Amino acid sequence: MGLTKQYLAYRAVDSFNIIASGRANVNFAIYNKIQGRYFAAAAAENVILWDLRLGERVLTLRRDKQEVTALRVSPDRLHVAAGYVDGVVEIFDLSNPEESICSLALHKSAVSVLRYDDQGIRLITGSLDTDLVVVDILEQAGRQRLIGHNAPITDVHFLERLALDHIAVSSSKDTQIKFWNLETQFCFKTIVDNRTEVWALAFTGALMVAGCGESTMNVYRLTRKDSNDVKTNALANAVEGLSVDDDDTISPINVKNCGVIQRAGKGRCVNLIADPSERVLSCHGTNDLIENFYFCTKDEAKQRLAKRLKKARKAKQIKEPEQKEEEVEEDVNDKNLSLSDEIKRLNSIKTRQKIKSLDILLGGQNELRVLVSLVNNSVHLYSLNTTSKDEDPKMLRSLNWQGHQSEVRSVCFSSDGLAIGSGSAESFKFWNRDSMQCLRSVSTDYILSCAFAPGDRYVLLGLKSGKLLIVDVGAADIVEEIPAHDQELWSITLLPDQNGCATGSSDCTVKLWTFELIDGNVKEMDVDGVTSTGNSRQVKVLSLLHKNTLKLEESVLCVQISSNMKYLAVGLLDSTVKIFFLDTFKFYLSLYGHKLPILCLDMSYDSTIIATGSADRNVKIWGLDFGDCHRSLFAHDDSVMALQFIPKTHMFFTCGKDGKIKQWDADTFDKIITLPGHIGEAYGLAISSNGRYLITCGSDRTLRLFERTDEPIVLQDIQEEEREEMENEKLATGEDHGMALLPGLKLPSKKTVGSEKAAESILECLDICKQYDLESEIKATLHPLMKALDVKTTTDFLLITLARIRSSDLEEALLLLPFAMVCELLTRLPSLIEERSDEIELLSKVTMFLFKIHMKPISGARHMKSLLQRIINLLTSEVNALRDCIGFNLHSLGLLQTEVEKREGIELFYEALQDKKKREKKRRQREKLKRQLIHMT
């Protein structure tokens, strides 16, 4: 079928105006080997790396459509893990930010917390679906799924400080703190002494601090149990008649509640952050106060205890002159230490707005840097001295110029399309379209509408108070403030002859204004921007002269003037559109049919069509000749907020409260394309005078820029893509995989469309291999898929098919295979292992998983026993050969290192080895002390 009409596609350029989303956290990051200067912040569906010194964004890590809900930078600060609202976790490399390293579908709902282990090899994730998933970063796949909480997960940590790598600690809104054994996926200890939700956990040494819904934070001391102590306690409990399987015999650690920390702020604790050295803990609640606590070393705590005892003796006058110092030192021991001796309160930081998240970094010279993201779309960096209480915290950097501090309600283009204006509740900003940088910012009241005046030197702003502002673009100053209306000024539209404008307001009036130039004084400024005293010059400035007023019976929500200067269209609160003659204000037409108020309207360039958008979610297209409704279109899932025709065409764009942006054809009444919209509501849009650029604003505080490309699109193809996308959202195999033989199985992955396609590719590959083997006896003809993958044998074809499946989707894909195909795959595995021993890791993973899932039917089939024995022997020999190869390479590298050190006279990796030796020495000392204590008991 031939093309009846060709359209050009609009593609997203970028989004800007947003600095940090309120839903996710912020993290310090290392970029170009510099620490403390860069940080990562979530910005709607993207993650932005910001430069604090220059106030510019350095990198943008992108993913379409879904909002970022959690963020975590790896311990080496080189990778960023981002969790999204759909339960997917993406891991990005800062050195190559174009694409993510891996994508993991783990949860059914939004990811609430991400946490790396000390080496950055494992990642544990918590979600609103109450599950925890442990991910192996190297294998790029989930390892364990921990199920036990009854409410959304709020925080989670690996417990590596007690040399227990297989233990994790999690908190939840169900008021519980759980300790998990990752090897058995079993919760061995639960703390239930919190009366309210546990919102955050932090570790400093052996202390665990839990922030809950009260103004106090519980402090727990964790100690590792010795195996001999466990046996002794178990035997004593058995003698006393207690159960041997008591909780104390199961848990490898002791948890003791040693007190509380009283916060100065009221309400619940939102975030608890400890610096990487675990010396400082910062927390904040639902207000604007950041509290900082310093955790002393054992020597510092003893010094504080001695000072406290000395003050107590002086106050009570107990201390005698002849008392020996040895007696004083006897009181200063570990048993007498309290939390007040171990924890020192630092100066608090008062911010300007409510706090959303924070991150801290303890640098040199005892300087604590606190990174704070606020609710008003701004980020501040504070500096605090941990040793001096006299020195107040100071703000080093602030990022607030790059974005509005409230939702953007109105946008407009300049006549040449090079500048963008955006208005919000507190300011109006001018943006460069190409660089997307803020050029000017003017503080104003709540802005509802805006428009560039002819010449682009001035901007007209309509306020919620009904005032009309004239702003000078170059000087970023308000030239004149006109009390145009008594209530909200909803709409400003320029006259087509560029000589004036029309305004519509909730006070039931439409006013016409004409432009005029009046004399005004402008103060001269020197080079540095300082106003020179007494120097001023007279220039002509823009002003508005009221010409006429049209009074109506209902509130005016939108106004538009036809390009031939003949008609004035007014959208009213009573769900009708009244059309008047512009010159005489004589009534011409009334367009009725909408069920809810008209929120937007626009007329085509030839003054033949008018399109209206309403809160009833419909767009109606009318003829201006007779006022007949050509077509009513169900446009959005919520109110249609903005509508505008593309210049010189009958195509128009709409945006609605459902966040979507759609393009329509008013001649054929077809929807052309749906552009990637806002997360939340879309409030307004504007199209450049040449129709090439589109800008939209929404409740996610982003300004999204789109550009028309030369790529033609066909409506049938677009409709087919949208249909496929809707079908892909619903899995054909269902969301939950119920295994008849393993009803309690919960894989650490989630079934996705990718896993279904991977299972289909395996089935197709096995069918092609079977067909090829049958035909090879007669004539060897390669299948087109085998030709496309450039393989000659079925063995290579099967291996490439398995290797092309993402690691996170592999287990789910194998789980979808029917048992007959599993047997077919197992019969081909021995030849695969023999011919391609270089892929032994992948083949071992496939074999082990299939055996784990289908062990009963496989072991029950007699014909499979010889195959099983062969696979076991092959895998054992190949894995042993790989182990020997790795060992040979390791010792060869050690030999080469020794030769290099002898020849060069240096020691390689000296600093790393010294750190390792120190850790080993401390560990041996701890073990020696434990042995001595055991012998003493």
Side-chain angles (χ1 to χ4, degrees), residues 28 35 75 77 273-280 359-362:
F28 279 109
Q35 188 175 13
R77 310 282 177 173
I273 304 294
D275 74 294
S277 63
E278 297 185 353
R279 304 293 299 161
V280 179
D359 195 14
I360 60 176
L361 193 64
L362 187 60

Side-chain angles (χ1 to χ4, degrees), residues 122 134 171 271 294 314 346 395 462 467 500 550 560 578 615 628 637 655 682 695 755 765 767 868 879 890 904 916 923:
R122 293 179 299 170
V134 181
S171 64
N271 277 318
Y294 181 81
K314 282 183 178 180
L346 302 177
M395 188 168 65
K467 294 180 181 178
L550 173 63
Q560 190 63 40
K578 305 291 185 184
D628 56 325
D637 297 329
C655 67
I695 186 75
S755 59
C765 174
D767 289 338
L868 291 181
V879 170
L890 181 64
E904 301 293 337
K916 184 179 179 181
R923 186 179 61 81

Side-chain angles (χ1 to χ4, degrees), residues 896-914:
L896 292 175
Q897 178 183 349
T898 306
E899 292 180 357
V900 171
E901 289 176 350
K902 286 182 179 179
R903 184 173 67 249
E904 301 293 337
I906 58 174
E907 185 176 355
L908 297 178
F909 316 113
Y910 176 76
E911 295 179 356
L913 290 173
Q914 287 299 110

Side-chain angles (χ1 to χ4, degrees), residues 154 171-173 175-177 194 196-201 210-213:
T154 55
S171 64
S172 170
K173 289 185 182 180
T175 73
Q176 298 177 358
I177 300 174
N194 293 284
T196 56
E197 298 94 339
V198 182
W199 289 94
L201 291 176
C212 53

Side-chain angles (χ1 to χ4, degrees), residues 22 41 53 65 108 118 142 164 177 262 293 406 447 462 475 504 518 554 567 614 653 679 704 708 731 800 846 876 886:
R53 183 175 298 177
K65 297 182 181 179
K108 295 180 180 179
D118 290 343
L164 296 171
I177 300 174
Q262 181 67 44
F293 303 92
S406 58
I447 299 173
I518 62 174
E554 292 288 340
Y567 303 118
S614 168
F653 279 98
I679 299 170
R704 299 178 184 267
R708 187 175 61 204
L731 297 175
I800 287 180
V846 172
T876 304
I886 293 173

Side-chain angles (χ1 to χ4, degrees), residues 57-336:
R57 59 177 176 177
V58 183
L59 297 175
T60 303
L61 312 175
R62 306 179 188 279
R63 183 175 182 254
D64 294 336
K65 297 182 181 179
Q66 304 298 335
E67 183 182 9
V68 181
T69 55
L71 198 64
R72 187 65 56 188
V73 179
S74 62
D76 56 6
R77 310 282 177 173
L78 300 178
H79 297 85
V80 176
Y84 295 86
V85 73
D86 60 347
V88 174
V89 175
E90 299 268 357
I91 300 177
F92 297 92
D93 187 356
L94 293 180
S95 60
N96 184 21
E98 299 299 327
E99 294 182 0
S100 62
I101 299 175
C102 65
S103 178
L104 305 164
L106 304 176
H107 298 282
K108 295 180 180 179
S109 55
V111 178
S112 58
V113 61
L114 298 167
R115 192 78 63 180
Y116 278 96
D117 64 354
D118 290 343
Q119 288 79 28
I121 297 176
R122 293 179 299 170
L123 177 72
I124 188 166
T125 68
S127 170
L128 301 184
D129 63 2
T130 74
D131 290 351
L132 294 159
V133 177
V134 181
V135 178
D136 191 323
I137 301 297
L138 299 181
E139 290 189 10
Q140 299 183 5
R143 291 274 65 88
Q144 295 97 11
R145 182 178 292 274
L146 310 176
I147 302 173
H149 281 291
N150 300 320
I153 308 296
T154 55
D155 207 350
V156 63
H157 290 263
F158 285 102
L159 197 62
E160 296 175 304
R161 60 204 69 255
L162 299 179
L164 296 171
D165 295 340
H166 60 284
I167 293 180
V169 189
S170 64
S171 64
S172 170
K173 289 185 182 180
D174 60 4
T175 73
Q176 298 177 358
I177 300 174
K178 288 183 179 289
F179 292 80
W180 304 86
N181 188 326
L182 300 181
E183 294 178 350
T184 60
Q185 303 183 35
F186 172 69
C187 173
F188 60 83
K189 182 182 281 293
T190 302
I191 299 176
V192 293
D193 59 351
N194 293 284
R195 294 179 298 176
T196 56
E197 298 94 339
V198 182
W199 289 94
L201 291 176
F203 287 85
T204 56
L207 296 178
M208 179 179 72
V209 184
C212 53
E214 301 172 343
S215 60
T216 58
M217 299 185 295
N218 291 328
V219 182
Y220 304 88
R221 191 178 299 277
L222 308 182
T223 55
R224 183 175 178 179
K225 283 185 181 178
D226 191 77
S227 57
N228 293 329
D229 294 341
V230 173
K231 293 178 181 178
T232 304
N233 294 336
L235 184 60
N237 292 338
V239 171
E240 293 174 5
L242 300 176
S243 173
V244 180
D245 294 328
D246 191 58
D247 180 66
D248 291 335
T249 65
I250 301 173
S251 172
I253 58 175
N254 286 319
V255 182
K256 179 184 177 184
N257 191 336
C258 55
V260 297
I261 300 176
Q262 181 67 44
R263 294 192 298 113
K266 296 181 180 180
R268 69 177 179 92
C269 176
V270 177
N271 277 318
L272 275 174
I273 304 294
D275 74 294
S277 63
E278 297 185 353
R279 304 293 299 161
V280 179
L281 177 71
S282 295
C283 68
H284 73 88
T286 55
N287 55 0
D288 55 356
L289 185 68
I290 301 174
E291 299 177 64
N292 305 295
F293 303 92
Y294 181 81
F295 285 75
C296 304
T297 61
K298 187 172 289 187
D299 296 336
E300 292 173 344
K302 287 182 178 180
Q303 290 178 5
R304 289 172 59 85
L305 174 61
K307 288 181 181 179
R308 182 166 61 85
L309 294 176
K310 190 174 181 181
K311 286 182 180 179
R313 289 192 184 94
K314 282 183 178 180
K316 297 179 180 180
Q317 296 180 354
I318 298 176
K319 184 176 180 181
E320 298 178 359
E322 61 271 11
Q323 186 178 9
K324 296 180 181 180
E325 293 294 331
E326 296 178 359
E327 296 179 1
V328 178
E329 292 180 359
E330 287 180 0
D331 294 336
V332 183
N333 53 35
D334 294 345
K335 292 183 180 180
N336 295 330

